[in-house]
């Protein structure tokens, strides 16, 4: 993967993720919830960031904003040097497709189609020709150790295997950054550790990763730990490298 | 487009039962609209041909009394066109294709062998045959110019009168008595379903040359005139011109319409046509509503599908699907159920209508009046376009709902 040409060249001096004073207010009719109260965050290419914090502190909200799934209520956000504010829905979809790979706690694989077709999906949206797309999907499934399970439907796979498919899918478009929201939250300890190992391998191969987790043991294996509490970043430090 | 199709093939897996119900609802709606329109078309054609059975582009002008004073003469004077004046009148009316005098003796004894019936005897000229559609059954003929010139005692019979007199026998060539005088039957009228008449139904009348009629019954005047034009648009003017010419000859006010009351069949056929078109539109609307209900069914099921797949849609959006790639497959799905159902319905309806066309109209009074349902290209096109629109709408509204899904909130892990 290190040999692949830079798809989205980053302007010099810019980080992949640049957030300045990001706020997010959920307006649910009667009550307004301020989920993020001014977040500044810079993530450089090749970093492995763990985001930790108690439940309800705004981690998922932050990840949705990072992944352009949602738009901030205030502040500036640049991904890969590109300003996100003011983009149309379709333009945001394109940014997600090109720059972001998502891994969810609930896997969120499409249930009716095979593992192979799930991995193919972002490539379909990216307009990649069928031949290239099939080769890529097969390569990625092989890489996450599911070369022999390509035609299985998600329901025929274990939790750990489903999450591997999801990771392969997140990598399909060679994104600038992979975002994972509690990827081990639905897994037992063994497969959790196992999945974390997959992330570590990816990082070592040069991917930029942001992983949200409750588990400090897992978090300590990242290069950097960002702690969020009540919508604010309360600590941001390099993790002591154990692995 | 390719992407949409790819996605459509992957996702179009409605439950088999639901897909079947949806398609059946559309098929049913299509059958309903096609049958209704086809019945309307059949009715239109039948009423049209029934109305035309009396004759096309003709007007009927009766003899009556003046209602206006004219050059010192009081109103209430009867106007009776004389049989002998007909050639002169015709020569002054080049706008008329035919001007035919019709002299009627309402009840006279008609005898064949031992059988006598009281029947109607009309004296007319040869042109009456074409103008009033007195088509002879094979083996016979209508009156000829020689019959008229030589005042021959020949008679042409309406089909039911012929049956009353001769039963199952072929009357052509046989001799019968008209008011005691022997006549030879030269032809029998082909059966026709006649709608509209002014002097009884043609099936019951008998026709002899007007020259013979005048000699036999000793009356020199006609009961009415039959006017025929080549261009229906000129009927109105032709009627007015005829009244003028007759008024000039018989001395009355040409503006006195009631002296010669006239039935313009072109006008009344137009009314019939408008009425049947109206009926067709009405039937079409009923059919379209039935189909619309089917379409609402499709849309409803699609809404349910959108709701069920909310999370999947959110996932696809997260992976970078643009709005069109979310909506496209739904529109395609709604459209394809509608079109499959529509095609099935068209097939069923066509078979039903074909089946009905084998039911003979002959001797069936209702069918003689209503006609058999008929499909036409226009009906097919109308149904297809209604189906298309309903299909698009049935897919479009659910698809719009799908595109409005907010990926961030659907993907929230609860
Ligand atoms: N779609 C939403 N509508 C309203 N409130 C929301 C929504 N999403 C998150 N919140 C609120 O924002 C806060 C942060 O939530 P979240 O980002 O999911 O936290 P975490 O992922 O750290 O548990 C919580 O109070 C939550 O209830
Ligand atoms: Mg969360």
């Amino acid at each position: 993967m290190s040999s692949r040409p830079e798809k989205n060249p980053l302007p010099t001096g810019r980080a992949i993720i640049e957030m300045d004073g990001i706020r997010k207010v959920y307006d649910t009719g009667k009550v307004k919830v301020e989920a993020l109260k001014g977040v500044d965050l810079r993530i450089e290419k090749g970093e492995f960031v763990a985001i930790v914090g108690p439940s309800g502190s705004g981690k998922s909200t932050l990840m949705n904003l990072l992944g352009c799934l949602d738009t901030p209520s205030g502040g500036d956000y640049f991904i890969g040097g590109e300003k996100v504010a003011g983009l149309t829905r379709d333009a945001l979809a394109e940014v997600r497709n090109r720059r972001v790979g998502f891994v969810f706690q609930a896997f969120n694989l499409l249930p009716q189609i095979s593992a192979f077709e799930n991995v193919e999906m972002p490539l379909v949206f990216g307009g990649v020709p069928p031949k290239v797309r099939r080769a890529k999907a097969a390569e990625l499934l092989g890489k996450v150790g599911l070369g022999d399970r390509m035609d299985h439907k998600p329901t025929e796979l274990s939790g750990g295997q489903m999450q591997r498919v999801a990771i392969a899918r997140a990598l399909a478009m060679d994104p600038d950054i992979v975002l994972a929201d509690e990827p081990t939250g639905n897994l037992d300890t063994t497969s959790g550790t196992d999945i974390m190992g997959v992330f570590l391998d990816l990082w070592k191969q040069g991917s930029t990763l942001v992983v949200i987790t409750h588990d400090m043991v897992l978090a300590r294996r990242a290069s950097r730990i960002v702690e969020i509490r009540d919508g604010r970043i309360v600590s941001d430090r390099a993790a002591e490298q154990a692995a | 487009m390719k992407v949409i199709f790819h996605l459509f093939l992957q996702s179009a897996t409605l439950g088999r039962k639901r897909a079947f119900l949806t398609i059946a609802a559309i098929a049913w709606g299509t059958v309903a609209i096609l049958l209704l329109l086809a019945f309307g078309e059949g009715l239109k054609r039948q009423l049209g041909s029934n109305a035309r059975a009396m004759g096309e582009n003709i007007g009927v002008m009766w003899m009556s009394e003046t209602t206006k004073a004219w050059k010192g003469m009081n109103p209430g004077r009867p106007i009776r066109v004389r049989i002998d004046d007909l050639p002169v009148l015709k020569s002054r009316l080049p706008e008329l294709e035919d001007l035919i005098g019709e002299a009627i003796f309402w009840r006279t004894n008609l005898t064949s062998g031992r059988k006598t019936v009281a029947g109607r005897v009309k004296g007319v000229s040869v042109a009456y045959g074409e103008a009033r559609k007195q088509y002879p059954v094979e083996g016979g003929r209508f009156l000829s110019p020689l019959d008229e010139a030589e005042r021959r005692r020949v008679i042409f019979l309406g089909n039911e009168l012929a049956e009353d007199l001769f039963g199952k026998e072929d009357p052509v060539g046989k001799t019968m008595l008209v008011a005691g005088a022997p006549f030879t039957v030269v032809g029998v009228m082909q059966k026709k379903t006649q709608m509209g008449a002014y002097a009884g139904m043609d099936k019951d009348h008998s026709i002899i040359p007007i020259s013979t009629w005048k000699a036999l019954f000793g009356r020199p005047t006609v009961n009415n005139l039959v006017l025929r034009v080549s261009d229906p648009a000129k009927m109105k003017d032709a009627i007015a011109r005829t009244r003028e010419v007759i008024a000039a000859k018989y001395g009355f006010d040409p503006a006195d319409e009631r002296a010669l009351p006239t039935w313009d069949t072109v006008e009344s056929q137009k009314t019939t046509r408008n009425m049947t078109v109206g009926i067709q539109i009405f039937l079409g609307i009923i059919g379209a509503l039935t189909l619309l209900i089917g379409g609402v069914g499709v849309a409803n099921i699609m809404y349910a599908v959108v709701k069920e797949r909310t999370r999947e849609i959110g996932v696809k959006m997260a992976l970078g699907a643009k709005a069109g790639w979310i909506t496209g497959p739904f529109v395609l799905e709604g459209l394809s159920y509608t079109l499959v159902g529509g095609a099935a319905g068209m097939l069923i309806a066509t078979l039903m209508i074909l089946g009905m066309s084998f039911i003979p109209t002959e001797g069936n009074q209702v069918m003689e009046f209503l006609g058999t349902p008929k499909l036409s290209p226009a009906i097919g096109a109308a149904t297809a376009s209604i189906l298309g629109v309903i299909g698009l709408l049935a897919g479009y509204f659910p698809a719009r709902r799908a595109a409005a899904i907010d990926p961030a909130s659907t993907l929230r892990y609860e």
Side-chain angles (χ1 to χ4, degrees):
Chain A
M1 207 176 261
S2 46
S3 63
R4 101 182 124 91
E6 200 60 53
K7 194 181 49 160
N8 306 313
L10 198 57
T12 41
R14 313 263 339 223
I16 280 188
I17 299 290
E18 291 172 2
M19 277 187 162
D20 272 316
I22 287 291
R23 296 188 321 111
K24 179 68 185 178
V25 181
Y26 290 111
D27 192 351
T28 54
K30 276 188 187 141
V31 275
K32 284 189 182 161
V33 182
E34 197 170 6
L36 294 178
K37 303 169 177 168
V39 168
D40 305 322
L41 185 64
R42 248 178 106 89
I43 297 174
E44 302 291 343
K45 193 171 172 320
E47 274 193 291
F48 180 0
V49 182
I51 296 181
V52 298
S55 172
S57 56
K59 303 184 296 295
S60 296
T61 303
L62 179 60
M63 192 184 94
N64 287 342
L65 292 179
L66 285 171
C68 300
L69 268 181
D70 211 345
T71 46
S73 315
D76 284 328
Y77 177 34
F78 293 84
I79 181 166
E82 187 175 355
K83 194 176 167 86
V84 171
L87 291 184
T88 63
R89 272 180 82 113
D90 276 358
L92 284 175
E94 210 179 314
V95 170
R96 288 196 293 271
N97 181 252
R98 265 185 15 245
R99 297 189 181 276
V100 185
F102 287 100
V103 178
F104 302 95
Q105 180 174 1
F107 318 130
N108 282 332
L109 297 177
L110 300 181
Q112 296 130 342
I113 56 177
S114 67
F116 183 83
E117 287 171 306
N118 265 287
V119 177
E120 231 188 335
M121 189 67 67
L123 297 158
V124 171
F125 297 140
V128 176
K131 244 193 189 137
V132 183
R133 157 175 116 200
R134 282 186 210 119
K136 181 83 184 176
E139 179 207 318
L140 286 167
L141 278 169
K143 198 166 146 183
V144 296
L146 289 174
D148 55 344
R149 297 272 199 288
M150 298 205 285
D151 295 328
H152 287 53
K153 294 271 169 71
T155 45
E156 298 158 359
L157 299 173
S158 72
Q161 287 171 330
M162 283 199 265
Q163 204 56 304
R164 284 165 181 267
V165 174
I167 292 170
R169 182 178 68 181
L171 296 171
M173 285 296 286
D174 298 325
D176 294 353
I177 188 164
V178 173
L179 303 175
D181 191 351
E182 309 212 25
T184 61
N186 269 10
L187 302 175
D188 57 58
T189 325
T190 333
S191 5
T193 317
D194 187 46
I195 288 298
M196 211 55 191
V198 175
F199 281 117
L200 274 171
D201 286 344
L202 288 177
W203 176 46
K204 282 173 190 152
Q205 285 160 32
S207 292
T208 312
L209 305 170
V210 176
V211 177
I212 293 171
T213 180
H214 273 315
D215 190 336
M216 281 312 289
V217 179
L218 293 180
R220 272 190 208 106
R221 301 176 70 176
S223 65
R224 177 178 162 197
I225 300 177
V226 172
E227 194 179 343
I228 185 165
R229 212 173 274 267
D230 197 20
R232 285 196 180 87
I233 292 176
V234 293
S235 106
D236 188 343
R237 62 182 192 276
E240 60 275 27
Q241 289 300 304
Chain B
M1 198 59 217
K2 240 163 124 189
V3 173
I4 289 172
F5 208 70
H6 178 94
L7 295 172
F8 164 69
L9 290 180
Q10 269 185 355
S11 68
T13 46
L14 261 195
R16 216 165 266 209
K17 198 167 150 196
R18 277 203 303 205
F20 177 78
L21 285 176
T22 313
I23 289 169
I26 290 291
W28 163 241
T30 310
V31 168
I33 193 172
L34 279 176
L35 285 187
L36 287 169
L37 284 175
F39 264 111
E41 181 72 17
L43 180 69
K44 186 172 89 182
R45 292 192 192 183
Q46 192 71 13
L47 286 185
S49 78
N50 290 354
R52 287 190 300 272
M54 205 183 75
E56 277 173 84
N57 303 339
I58 61 173
V60 181
M61 191 175 266
W62 288 277
M63 304 297 112
S64 189
E65 275 132 42
T66 58
T67 58
K68 291 180 177 162
W70 179 253
K71 295 192 172 159
M73 290 179 284
N74 287 331
R77 198 162 44 89
I79 301 298
R80 297 287 179 265
V81 169
R82 278 178 299 276
I83 295 170
D84 293 344
D85 288 342
L86 288 170
V88 183
L89 292 172
K90 174 69 188 82
S91 70
R92 292 178 193 167
L93 287 163
E95 47 271 90
L96 288 184
E97 194 84 352
D98 293 310
L99 176 67
I100 303 154
E102 193 167 5
I104 304 172
F105 205 88
W106 292 93
R107 283 174 74 83
T108 189
N109 281 345
L110 303 171
T111 308
S112 155
R114 295 221 186 123
K115 210 156 188 185
T116 298
V117 298
R120 197 167 0 113
V121 181
K122 293 176 175 178
V124 299
S125 55
V126 180
Y128 190 84
E130 220 15 79
R132 290 274 282 95
K133 297 200 173 169
Q134 306 292 311
Y135 299 132
V137 174
E138 257 202 42
R141 63 172 178 85
F142 191 67
L143 307 181
S144 74
L146 266 180
D147 293 336
E148 197 175 335
E150 297 181 358
R151 240 184 273 172
R152 286 180 184 167
R153 292 194 166 179
V154 290
I155 187 162
F156 180 85
L157 299 173
N159 53 304
E160 283 200 4
L161 179 62
E163 216 178 300
D164 287 348
L165 285 168
F166 293 91
K168 295 264 170 276
E169 276 178 76
D170 181 6
V172 175
K174 300 237 162 52
T175 304
M176 59 176 282
L177 298 178
V178 177
F183 275 70
T184 304
V185 180
V186 293
V188 174
M189 189 185 80
Q190 282 176 20
K191 185 174 159 38
K192 64 183 182 182
T193 304
Q194 180 184 355
M195 206 181 63
Y198 55 89
M201 287 294 175
D202 291 358
K203 62 185 175 33
D204 302 318
H205 71 187
S206 65
I207 288 171
I208 62 176
I210 196 162
S211 50
T212 317
W213 191 95
K214 190 180 144 199
L216 184 67
F217 295 107
R219 201 185 79 196
T221 57
V222 302
N223 291 64
N224 58 268
L225 299 168
V226 175
L227 286 53
R228 187 158 82 104
V229 293
S230 50
D231 178 3
K234 296 195 176 123
M235 194 70 212
K236 263 200 172 64
D237 291 341
I239 289 169
R241 271 294 296 152
T242 306
R243 194 179 291 112
E244 269 171 44
V245 167
I246 296 173
K249 177 130 185 83
Y250 291 85
F252 64 95
D253 186 344
D256 188 357
E257 295 194 5
R258 278 184 282 171
L260 295 172
T262 309
W263 177 19
D264 179 349
T265 68
V266 171
E267 198 56 36
S268 56
Q269 276 170 23
K270 213 185 283 168
T271 311
T272 308
R273 198 164 45 242
N274 288 345
M275 185 186 78
T276 51
V277 167
I279 290 174
Q280 242 183 339
I281 290 172
F282 174 71
L283 292 176
I285 289 173
I286 293 176
L289 286 179
T290 313
L291 198 50
L292 192 67
I293 291 169
V296 169
V298 175
N300 249 324
I301 284 175
M302 301 288 295
Y303 268 125
V305 172
V306 169
K307 212 166 162 192
E308 247 166 53
R309 296 194 199 150
T310 301
R311 197 175 188 88
E312 286 174 47
I313 292 164
V315 171
K316 285 184 182 169
M317 286 174 164
L319 299 180
K322 294 183 180 169
W325 298 336
I326 300 294
T327 55
F330 281 106
V331 173
L332 221 55
E333 201 168 338
L335 199 60
S336 58
Y337 290 131
T338 309
L339 294 188
V340 169
M346 283 189 175
L347 189 71
I348 294 168
T350 308
L351 289 177
M352 285 172 79
I353 288 161
L354 268 180
M356 272 183 269
S357 70
F358 289 119
I359 301 172
T361 45
E362 212 55 24
N364 181 334
Q365 298 251 322
V366 178
M367 296 286 267
E368 269 176 29
F369 186 73
L370 288 181
T372 38
K374 285 246 157 39
L375 284 175
S376 72
I379 290 177
T383 307
S385 46
I386 292 174
L387 274 170
V389 169
I390 287 179
L392 279 176
L393 293 181
Y396 171 75
F397 287 106
R400 211 177 53 163
R401 160 113 19 130
I405 284 172
D406 167 29
S409 54
T410 51
L411 294 176
R412 261 176 73 77
Y413 184 78
E414 313 284 353

